DNA sequence: TTACGAAATGACAACGTTGTCATTTCATTA
DNA sequence: TAATGAAATGACAACGTTGTCATTTCGTAA
């Protein structure tokens, strides 16, 4: 009555039970067509009965690959969900699993640290999600045998990178203001160390300067609504302020609330554009025009780039995923 | 000049280069104290020179374990970020990496499917993040050699589960209303298929019934502000409505906006409580009292439960992580 | 029936580690 | 200096797969 269940059922156990050779079991799994149907059935029955599952370690040792892509999260923010979603879906589709590690809060992790850790894990290639500066960014060289893609707005000298076109998105929003007859655009920045905020600011500056407009001093925020509100109070007192670009929707909302509290109307008195297009989730009948980035697409591209690099020892590439301006009614047309 | 760089550097290569035996190299890595310092240095030098990194597959094949915990995302929502964050941090701390797979949109994945896929991957135990019902929930049995923890508000007959105490959180909010002198509480639900919404509703019902109050019909929402706004318009017309519990903050905000548009004041005329405590990010000077769940803690608990099950072949357990009522000023005290 | 080529199956080595046990080297004491 | 035991090192097998090549079985035609 005592069924002695062995710890791990191996192919050999299955082979013995089915009365065939080890190699035949292997064939049933990897090239079933090369095995006679009657034999196949016996083997399948034995596998079922014993509860066999192929051993990942042995298999990948033999094959020399894992079928896993590493993901290093230097930073895990809200937008990261959709990106991970994209990475995971694309991986699934191409038959890969993900191996994930994360920088701990407070911990200092360089690209080299991440690469070192990853290369001890079951991983054929890797993706770094990097939204802030890191010490060895310029000097880092990826392991030659581990295709590495970095998700970051910065260009890297040797690694492939993928990014939202944050700068382009900001430029687009600015030009939208200008094309609607606005003569100037104020900017509310996100957290200072955030690369996203820096890029958005850069795009804003570039767009204004391209039309010969001197950019006013940007206002410093911290991504949250309260900092936007504070900025809005300041802006409400500037008579030349007709257009405000806020580095995200929460701050944009803060700005709008402050303007309203100061007796100004959006968009009649002041026009506002935000980023991320997420205000509609929280505010009913939201009117905020916003630049939306396709984070999911970003993840998909990153994963595809890694997988491509696995097959062909590809060179460095740079992918930009453009943003989309979601138009609502927070921008007034000053022409005519 | 042509340096022939071998594809993979093995311990044997290092051993030859350092003039020691294979086993000595192994020892330098796994039990450095048992190796004379001079030898150790030679080996380290050789490892450095050749760029040696231990082979994950071979190592885990020999050891019979991977040092990885599997995470299955049946569902990837906003709150999941913090949970993943917790899982990842706790894993890091205990020296584990994560292996992740995700249900694709539209795909049908049962617990058995997930377990089957995972057991072919490098994984010592696994965590399922399950926020909706799944066909084989009741009948599922986890592989005996793979400790399985399910993050879900439902109790499972054989697997350990971890969950926010959603029901308790809703009860807490309700009682808070009642303790402040309210005679009844209306409820705005989230998406119908969401277990979170169902549990929150259950807690709301239970709290009212416990005080002999007949719960009014709940209003159906879809998590977004607009659906909350619609509910708010309806509630504004109910003279007996002094307290509204909305299943999340976005809908709560929608309710508040509708009430305001109907000329009612929060909290003077109607009191409101939400869930998740995230409105303050989007709304400046937010007054919304909200039940906050500690998703990060949830992830940590889940991971710890898995790891504990690895060491001691533990039995089934059920962990509830309590919520916290973040008090602001959206509830009026009707006593006195 | 026999011979033949193709299809199906099997024996054995190899992947790169770690565990077991045997052997060598070293420092210490008589 | 020789004897002793402890410390350091090494030889070899084993983990569970897959690749290579040899062998057996089968169906078909002479």
């Amino acid at each position: 009555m005592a069924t002695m269940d062995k710890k791990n059922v191996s192919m050999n156990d299955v082979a013995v039970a089915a009365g065939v050779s080890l190699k035949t079991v292997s064939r049933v799994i990897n090239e079933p067509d090369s095995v006679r149907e009657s034999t196949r059935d016996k083997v399948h029955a034995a596998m079922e009965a014993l509860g066999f599952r192929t051993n990942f370690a042995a298999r990948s040792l033999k094959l020399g690959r894992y079928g896993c892509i590493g993901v290093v999260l230097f930073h895990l923010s809200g937008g990261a969900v959709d990106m991970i979603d994209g990475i995971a879906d694309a991986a699934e589709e191409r038959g890969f699993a993900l191996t994930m590690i994360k920088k701990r809060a407070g911990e200092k992790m360089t690209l080299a640290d991440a690469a070192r850790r990853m290369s001890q894990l079951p991983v054929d290639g890797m993706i770094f999600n990097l939204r802030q500066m890191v010490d060895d960014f310029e000097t880092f060289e990826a392991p030659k045998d581990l295709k590495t893609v970095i998700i970051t707005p910065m260009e890297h000298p040797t690694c492939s990178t993928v990014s939202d076109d944050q700068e382009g998105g900001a430029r687009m929003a600015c030009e939208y203001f200008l094309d609607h007859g606005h003569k100037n655009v104020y900017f509310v920045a996100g957290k200072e160390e955030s690369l996203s905020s820096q890029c958005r600011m850069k795009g804003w500056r570039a767009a204004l300067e391209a039309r010969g407009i001197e950019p006013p001093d940007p206002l410093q925020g911290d991504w949250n609504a309260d900092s936007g509100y504070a900025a809005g109070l300041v802006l409400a007192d500037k008579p030349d302020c007709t257009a405000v670009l806020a580095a995200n929707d929460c701050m944009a909302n803060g700005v709008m609330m402050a303007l309203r509290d100061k007796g100004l109307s959006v968009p009649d008195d002041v026009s506002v554009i935000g980023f991320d297009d997420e205000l509609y989730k929280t505010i009913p009948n939201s009117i905020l025009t916003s630049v939306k980035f396709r984070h999911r697409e970003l993840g998909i591209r990153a994963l595809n780039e890694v997988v491509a690099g696995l097959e062909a020892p590809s060179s460095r590439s740079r992918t930009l995923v453009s943003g989309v301006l979601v138009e609502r009614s927070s921008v007034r047309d000053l022409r005519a």
Side-chain angles (χ1 to χ4, degrees), chain A residues 161-326:
Chain A
T161 58
V162 177
S163 175
D164 307 300
D165 185 8
Q166 309 248 12
E167 213 176 310
R171 237 184 294 118
M172 177 165 52
C174 259
E175 284 162 6
Y176 185 85
F177 278 132
L178 301 175
D179 291 345
H180 281 68
H182 292 261
K183 301 300 177 210
N184 202 349
V185 179
Y186 278 82
F187 184 76
V188 182
K191 280 214 171 112
E192 211 159 358
E193 68 271 23
S194 156
L195 290 175
S196 291
S197 176
Q198 289 167 26
C199 289
R200 290 167 190 188
M201 192 186 310
K202 205 164 148 192
W204 158 75
R205 277 225 170 80
L208 291 185
E209 285 167 354
R211 305 240 187 147
I213 301 171
E214 169 78 10
D217 284 343
L219 288 89
Q220 187 65 52
D222 67 1
W223 295 129
N224 274 351
D226 285 333
S227 70
Y229 189 86
L233 292 179
V234 173
L235 292 170
D237 289 334
K238 307 216 182 231
D240 69 328
C241 174
T242 68
V244 180
L245 179 60
N248 76 351
D249 273 10
C250 293
M251 295 193 298
N253 189 48
V255 168
M256 292 193 293
M257 303 287 267
L259 292 171
R260 204 197 51 192
D261 288 356
K262 282 281 211 163
L264 296 172
S265 151
V266 176
D268 291 341
D269 299 310
V270 182
S271 300
V272 179
I273 296 183
F275 279 87
D276 300 339
D277 189 39
E278 54 185 20
L279 201 59
Y280 71 93
K281 297 177 191 164
T282 314
I283 307 277
N285 313 311
S286 172
I287 60 162
L288 182 64
T289 291
S290 187
V291 180
K292 173 185 198 158
F293 292 110
R294 295 171 295 158
H295 297 292
R296 200 161 175 289
E297 180 68 19
L298 185 68
I300 295 175
R301 298 281 188 94
L303 189 112
N304 286 348
E305 179 66 27
V306 174
V307 174
L310 257 46
E311 289 149 9
S314 78
S315 53
R316 194 180 77 101
S317 78
R318 171 147 183 83
T319 305
L320 277 185
V321 180
S322 66
V324 178
L325 189 76
V326 180

Side-chain angles (χ1 to χ4, degrees), chain A residues 22-277:
Chain A
L22 173 60
K23 181 66 210 194
T24 296
V25 179
S26 169
R27 268 190 272 257
V28 167
I29 294 171
N30 296 304
E31 24 175 358
D33 291 343
S34 75
V35 172
R36 195 177 319 171
E37 191 175 350
S38 59
T39 314
R40 222 187 303 153
D41 292 343
K42 274 192 301 185
V43 172
H44 274 134
M47 294 201 307
E48 193 73 24
L50 298 178
F52 169 81
R53 288 159 317 175
T54 65
N55 181 296
F56 177 88
R59 177 168 230 263
S60 24
L61 172 58
K62 200 65 182 107
L63 294 180
R65 53 190 165 73
Y66 295 105
C68 295
I69 303 295
V71 176
V72 181
L73 301 173
F74 283 83
H75 194 236
L76 187 50
S77 67
V81 183
D82 290 330
M83 192 201 66
I84 295 175
D85 192 60
I87 294 178
D89 275 2
E92 202 81 356
E93 185 164 342
R94 293 161 157 282
F96 284 86
L98 298 181
T99 299
M100 223 181 68
I101 62 173
K102 190 187 150 282
K103 177 169 107 58
R104 303 247 292 288
E107 184 191 10
K108 187 158 188 173
M109 182 158 82
T110 62
L111 296 182
D113 292 335
R116 198 172 310 116
R117 284 218 43 205
M118 266 296 169
S119 61
Q120 318 262 78
L121 290 173
V123 149
D124 300 324
M126 49 188 181
I127 299 175
F128 292 173
N129 182 40
L130 188 64
R131 297 303 175 98
Q132 290 178 211
M133 232 329 168
V134 67
D135 285 348
D136 65 340
F137 185 82
E138 287 297 331
T139 60
F140 172 72
E141 291 212 38
K144 282 175 302 297
D145 54 340
L146 223 50
K147 171 70 178 177
T148 303
V149 170
I150 310 181
I151 298 183
T152 178
M154 301 176 285
E155 284 209 47
H156 191 274
T158 59
C159 291
S160 293
T161 58
V162 177
S163 175
D164 307 300
D165 185 8
Q166 309 248 12
E167 213 176 310
R171 237 184 294 118
M172 177 165 52
C174 259
E175 284 162 6
Y176 185 85
F177 278 132
L178 301 175
D179 291 345
H180 281 68
H182 292 261
K183 301 300 177 210
N184 202 349
V185 179
Y186 278 82
F187 184 76
V188 182
K191 280 214 171 112
E192 211 159 358
E193 68 271 23
S194 156
L195 290 175
S196 291
S197 176
Q198 289 167 26
C199 289
R200 290 167 190 188
M201 192 186 310
K202 205 164 148 192
W204 158 75
R205 277 225 170 80
L208 291 185
E209 285 167 354
R211 305 240 187 147
I213 301 171
E214 169 78 10
D217 284 343
L219 288 89
Q220 187 65 52
D222 67 1
W223 295 129
N224 274 351
D226 285 333
S227 70
Y229 189 86
L233 292 179
V234 173
L235 292 170
D237 289 334
K238 307 216 182 231
D240 69 328
C241 174
T242 68
V244 180
L245 179 60
N248 76 351
D249 273 10
C250 293
M251 295 193 298
N253 189 48
V255 168
M256 292 193 293
M257 303 287 267
L259 292 171
R260 204 197 51 192
D261 288 356
K262 282 281 211 163
L264 296 172
S265 151
V266 176
D268 291 341
D269 299 310
V270 182
S271 300
V272 179
I273 296 183
F275 279 87
D276 300 339
D277 189 39

